[in-house]
Amino acid sequence: MSIRFTKFSFILLVAILICSNLKSQNNTDTTKTKIKLNISTDIVSRYIWRGSDYGNSPAIQPSLSLTFKNIEIGCWGSAATNSNYTEIDLFAKYTYKNFGLSFTDYYVPTLNGLPTSPDTRYFAYSDKKTAHCFELAFSYKGGEKFPLWLMGGVYFYGNDKRWGYDTQKDISEKTYYSSYIEAGYSFAVQQNNIDFVLGITPTAGAYGKKFGIINLGISGSRKIKITESFEIPIKTSLIFNPQASSAFFVFGITL
């Protein structure tokens, strides 16, 4: 155990120093160009997304994006440390004032060590066979006086099939159009940020077997100062999924 801990500590320290250097370079570069490069990595005790556990283990989640004015294009991924789950997402988002419109290509080839679709190759995009799933989402984020956020997303193409809730759809491999709607509220307590979230699914599909609450939780986050120019954000979340009768307590850090 001591050897494993020593290796992990060394890797974590190197990652912190690299990310600190990258962030300082990014801050300098943004004064010379209107394009902003965003690089970060989250390390979480569990990957809980919209009320479900993906991987059943700690996960490493890198992200890379470019922002130009109101447009952001990037990539986000998650890899479970037990090798039971991997995900690579490509996304594009347009923001106008408090509103956002985003498109996401979710690529999930395996879940719990099993293939998620008939064809798990990355460049296979046939609607009924692909491991990709496309989502269109709308969002609203309030200002400081009323920090409420709202979002709604729907899968419209790809691997949103064969959920076992609708016989006709399953036999013909039709899209379920799985949907997710979320509302949240944020406020600050001293140096801590608190977020409340409520997420529902209106129909049976990827998130649950029927209409209901699937994501109910509270999160607390703050930044720990490492050096004069570098801070590490940490976050702790208590999450419930009433429909699945499950609960999660998650810790994460961002490098």
Side-chain angles (χ1 to χ4, degrees), residues 39-66:
I39 301 174
S40 67
T41 298
D42 294 332
I43 300 175
V44 294
S45 59
R46 282 290 188 276
Y47 173 27
I48 310 299
W49 185 67
R50 297 180 181 177
S52 295
D53 186 343
Y54 294 90
N56 193 31
S57 80
I60 299 174
Q61 301 175 333
S63 66
L64 172 67
S65 70
L66 292 173

Tab-separated table of all heavy atoms in Angstrom, residues 39-66:
chain	number	residue	atom	x	y	z
A	39	ILE	N	-7.666	24.189	-20.127
A	39	ILE	CA	-7.172	22.844	-19.851
A	39	ILE	C	-7.354	22.553	-18.362
A	39	ILE	O	-6.964	23.364	-17.517
A	39	ILE	CB	-5.679	22.705	-20.203
A	39	ILE	CG1	-5.432	23.019	-21.679
A	39	ILE	CG2	-5.172	21.304	-19.874
A	39	ILE	CD1	-3.970	23.044	-22.052
A	40	SER	N	-7.943	21.412	-18.047
A	40	SER	CA	-8.092	21.030	-16.646
A	40	SER	C	-8.320	19.525	-16.536
A	40	SER	O	-8.604	18.855	-17.538
A	40	SER	CB	-9.259	21.781	-15.978
A	40	SER	OG	-10.499	21.369	-16.536
A	41	THR	N	-8.176	19.015	-15.338
A	41	THR	CA	-8.435	17.602	-15.066
A	41	THR	C	-9.093	17.469	-13.700
A	41	THR	O	-8.611	18.049	-12.717
A	41	THR	CB	-7.133	16.783	-15.085
A	41	THR	OG1	-6.536	16.851	-16.379
A	41	THR	CG2	-7.414	15.317	-14.764
A	42	ASP	N	-10.184	16.742	-13.648
A	42	ASP	CA	-10.852	16.441	-12.384
A	42	ASP	C	-10.492	15.021	-11.951
A	42	ASP	O	-10.424	14.101	-12.781
A	42	ASP	CB	-12.374	16.538	-12.518
A	42	ASP	CG	-12.837	17.961	-12.791
A	42	ASP	OD1	-12.132	18.898	-12.363
A	42	ASP	OD2	-13.894	18.125	-13.418
A	43	ILE	N	-10.276	14.858	-10.670
A	43	ILE	CA	-10.109	13.529	-10.077
A	43	ILE	C	-11.231	13.368	-9.063
A	43	ILE	O	-11.323	14.131	-8.101
A	43	ILE	CB	-8.740	13.377	-9.398
A	43	ILE	CG1	-7.624	13.574	-10.420
A	43	ILE	CG2	-8.615	11.997	-8.745
A	43	ILE	CD1	-6.226	13.556	-9.818
A	44	VAL	N	-12.117	12.392	-9.296
A	44	VAL	CA	-13.316	12.239	-8.475
A	44	VAL	C	-13.370	10.841	-7.869
A	44	VAL	O	-12.886	9.868	-8.447
A	44	VAL	CB	-14.602	12.498	-9.297
A	44	VAL	CG1	-14.663	13.953	-9.735
A	44	VAL	CG2	-14.673	11.585	-10.508
A	45	SER	N	-13.975	10.753	-6.686
A	45	SER	CA	-14.095	9.457	-6.012
A	45	SER	C	-15.119	8.562	-6.695
A	45	SER	O	-15.045	7.332	-6.592
A	45	SER	CB	-14.478	9.658	-4.539
A	45	SER	OG	-15.709	10.363	-4.435
A	46	ARG	N	-16.091	9.157	-7.401
A	46	ARG	CA	-17.069	8.452	-8.217
A	46	ARG	C	-17.529	9.382	-9.327
A	46	ARG	O	-17.640	10.596	-9.118
A	46	ARG	CB	-18.300	8.019	-7.405
A	46	ARG	CG	-18.119	6.788	-6.550
A	46	ARG	CD	-17.984	5.522	-7.400
A	46	ARG	NE	-18.003	4.333	-6.580
A	46	ARG	CZ	-16.938	3.832	-5.956
A	46	ARG	NH1	-15.780	4.456	-6.039
A	46	ARG	NH2	-17.040	2.717	-5.256
A	47	TYR	N	-17.794	8.819	-10.493
A	47	TYR	CA	-18.356	9.601	-11.586
A	47	TYR	C	-19.865	9.461	-11.526
A	47	TYR	O	-20.436	8.485	-12.010
A	47	TYR	CB	-17.798	9.116	-12.924
A	47	TYR	CG	-18.426	9.731	-14.150
A	47	TYR	CD1	-19.005	11.015	-14.111
A	47	TYR	CD2	-18.436	9.055	-15.363
A	47	TYR	CE1	-19.575	11.581	-15.232
A	47	TYR	CE2	-19.000	9.620	-16.507
A	47	TYR	CZ	-19.569	10.878	-16.434
A	47	TYR	OH	-20.146	11.443	-17.558
A	48	ILE	N	-20.511	10.444	-10.916
A	48	ILE	CA	-21.972	10.462	-10.806
A	48	ILE	C	-22.480	11.555	-11.731
A	48	ILE	O	-22.143	12.732	-11.578
A	48	ILE	CB	-22.436	10.742	-9.365
A	48	ILE	CG1	-21.716	9.807	-8.395
A	48	ILE	CG2	-23.948	10.587	-9.258
A	48	ILE	CD1	-21.977	8.331	-8.639
A	49	TRP	N	-23.295	11.163	-12.705
A	49	TRP	CA	-23.802	12.109	-13.700
A	49	TRP	C	-25.302	11.922	-13.846
A	49	TRP	O	-25.787	10.823	-14.135
A	49	TRP	CB	-23.104	11.892	-15.034
A	49	TRP	CG	-23.460	12.888	-16.087
A	49	TRP	CD1	-23.156	14.226	-16.100
A	49	TRP	CD2	-24.176	12.633	-17.301
A	49	TRP	NE1	-23.632	14.814	-17.248
A	49	TRP	CE2	-24.265	13.860	-18.009
A	49	TRP	CE3	-24.736	11.492	-17.858
A	49	TRP	CZ2	-24.898	13.978	-19.237
A	49	TRP	CZ3	-25.379	11.607	-19.090
A	49	TRP	CH2	-25.459	12.836	-19.770
A	50	ARG	N	-26.034	12.996	-13.591
A	50	ARG	CA	-27.490	12.983	-13.693
A	50	ARG	C	-28.111	11.837	-12.895
A	50	ARG	O	-29.032	11.163	-13.331
A	50	ARG	CB	-27.915	12.943	-15.160
A	50	ARG	CG	-27.457	14.199	-15.925
A	50	ARG	CD	-27.870	14.188	-17.383
A	50	ARG	NE	-27.386	15.408	-18.057
A	50	ARG	CZ	-27.533	15.678	-19.347
A	50	ARG	NH1	-28.168	14.796	-20.130
A	50	ARG	NH2	-27.085	16.796	-19.867
A	51	GLY	N	-27.533	11.609	-11.709
A	51	GLY	CA	-28.112	10.669	-10.763
A	51	GLY	C	-27.678	9.230	-10.894
A	51	GLY	O	-28.171	8.373	-10.147
A	52	SER	N	-26.749	8.931	-11.813
A	52	SER	CA	-26.312	7.548	-11.999
A	52	SER	C	-24.797	7.436	-11.862
A	52	SER	O	-24.057	8.376	-12.172
A	52	SER	CB	-26.738	7.025	-13.381
A	52	SER	OG	-28.141	6.959	-13.476
A	53	ASP	N	-24.338	6.250	-11.408
A	53	ASP	CA	-22.922	5.966	-11.225
A	53	ASP	C	-22.382	5.298	-12.488
A	53	ASP	O	-22.887	4.266	-12.921
A	53	ASP	CB	-22.754	5.035	-10.020
A	53	ASP	CG	-21.285	4.811	-9.665
A	53	ASP	OD1	-20.419	5.088	-10.508
A	53	ASP	OD2	-21.023	4.353	-8.546
A	54	TYR	N	-21.327	5.886	-13.060
A	54	TYR	CA	-20.713	5.328	-14.257
A	54	TYR	C	-19.289	4.883	-13.943
A	54	TYR	O	-18.400	5.702	-13.770
A	54	TYR	CB	-20.705	6.353	-15.391
A	54	TYR	CG	-22.096	6.699	-15.865
A	54	TYR	CD1	-22.812	7.751	-15.289
A	54	TYR	CD2	-22.713	5.956	-16.865
A	54	TYR	CE1	-24.104	8.051	-15.709
A	54	TYR	CE2	-24.004	6.252	-17.292
A	54	TYR	CZ	-24.690	7.296	-16.711
A	54	TYR	OH	-25.964	7.590	-17.123
A	55	GLY	N	-19.106	3.573	-13.815
A	55	GLY	CA	-17.779	3.023	-13.562
A	55	GLY	C	-17.596	2.386	-12.212
A	55	GLY	O	-16.720	1.551	-12.012
A	56	ASN	N	-18.378	2.810	-11.203
A	56	ASN	CA	-18.288	2.228	-9.863
A	56	ASN	C	-16.857	2.253	-9.328
A	56	ASN	O	-16.373	1.288	-8.732
A	56	ASN	CB	-18.833	0.793	-9.877
A	56	ASN	CG	-19.045	0.258	-8.469
A	56	ASN	OD1	-19.351	1.023	-7.553
A	56	ASN	ND2	-18.880	-1.036	-8.293
A	57	SER	N	-16.179	3.382	-9.526
A	57	SER	CA	-14.804	3.511	-9.041
A	57	SER	C	-14.384	4.974	-9.147
A	57	SER	O	-15.069	5.775	-9.794
A	57	SER	CB	-13.852	2.648	-9.874
A	57	SER	OG	-13.515	3.290	-11.084
A	58	PRO	N	-13.266	5.351	-8.544
A	58	PRO	CA	-12.718	6.684	-8.799
A	58	PRO	C	-12.444	6.862	-10.289
A	58	PRO	O	-12.235	5.889	-11.023
A	58	PRO	CB	-11.416	6.691	-7.988
A	58	PRO	CG	-11.659	5.699	-6.896
A	58	PRO	CD	-12.494	4.619	-7.519
A	59	ALA	N	-12.443	8.116	-10.739
A	59	ALA	CA	-12.272	8.382	-12.170
A	59	ALA	C	-11.406	9.608	-12.389
A	59	ALA	O	-11.359	10.520	-11.552
A	59	ALA	CB	-13.626	8.558	-12.848
A	60	ILE	N	-10.730	9.624	-13.523
A	60	ILE	CA	-9.939	10.768	-13.966
A	60	ILE	C	-10.636	11.375	-15.166
A	60	ILE	O	-10.982	10.664	-16.123
A	60	ILE	CB	-8.512	10.341	-14.329
A	60	ILE	CG1	-7.825	9.735	-13.101
A	60	ILE	CG2	-7.699	11.523	-14.846
A	60	ILE	CD1	-6.466	9.149	-13.397
A	61	GLN	N	-10.852	12.698	-15.136
A	61	GLN	CA	-11.692	13.349	-16.140
A	61	GLN	C	-11.013	14.596	-16.708
A	61	GLN	O	-11.154	15.698	-16.181
A	61	GLN	CB	-13.042	13.718	-15.514
A	61	GLN	CG	-13.780	12.506	-14.965
A	61	GLN	CD	-15.055	12.855	-14.226
A	61	GLN	OE1	-15.186	13.952	-13.679
A	61	GLN	NE2	-15.987	11.922	-14.196
A	62	PRO	N	-10.261	14.433	-17.807
A	62	PRO	CA	-9.601	15.582	-18.434
A	62	PRO	C	-10.554	16.361	-19.331
A	62	PRO	O	-11.552	15.822	-19.825
A	62	PRO	CB	-8.492	14.925	-19.267
A	62	PRO	CG	-9.071	13.590	-19.631
A	62	PRO	CD	-9.929	13.160	-18.459
A	63	SER	N	-10.244	17.628	-19.551
A	63	SER	CA	-11.033	18.449	-20.471
A	63	SER	C	-10.118	19.425	-21.204
A	63	SER	O	-9.103	19.875	-20.668
A	63	SER	CB	-12.135	19.214	-19.734
A	63	SER	OG	-11.574	20.173	-18.862
A	64	LEU	N	-10.495	19.725	-22.441
A	64	LEU	CA	-9.742	20.638	-23.290
A	64	LEU	C	-10.736	21.382	-24.164
A	64	LEU	O	-11.586	20.763	-24.804
A	64	LEU	CB	-8.761	19.849	-24.164
A	64	LEU	CG	-8.023	20.630	-25.263
A	64	LEU	CD1	-7.067	21.638	-24.652
A	64	LEU	CD2	-7.271	19.652	-26.174
A	65	SER	N	-10.656	22.706	-24.175
A	65	SER	CA	-11.588	23.467	-25.007
A	65	SER	C	-10.972	24.787	-25.441
A	65	SER	O	-10.021	25.287	-24.837
A	65	SER	CB	-12.898	23.729	-24.248
A	65	SER	OG	-12.702	24.654	-23.186
A	66	LEU	N	-11.559	25.330	-26.504
A	66	LEU	CA	-11.194	26.648	-27.014
A	66	LEU	C	-12.426	27.539	-26.963
A	66	LEU	O	-13.526	27.121	-27.359
A	66	LEU	CB	-10.690	26.552	-28.453
A	66	LEU	CG	-9.347	25.850	-28.680
A	66	LEU	CD1	-9.098	25.688	-30.173
A	66	LEU	CD2	-8.215	26.618	-28.026
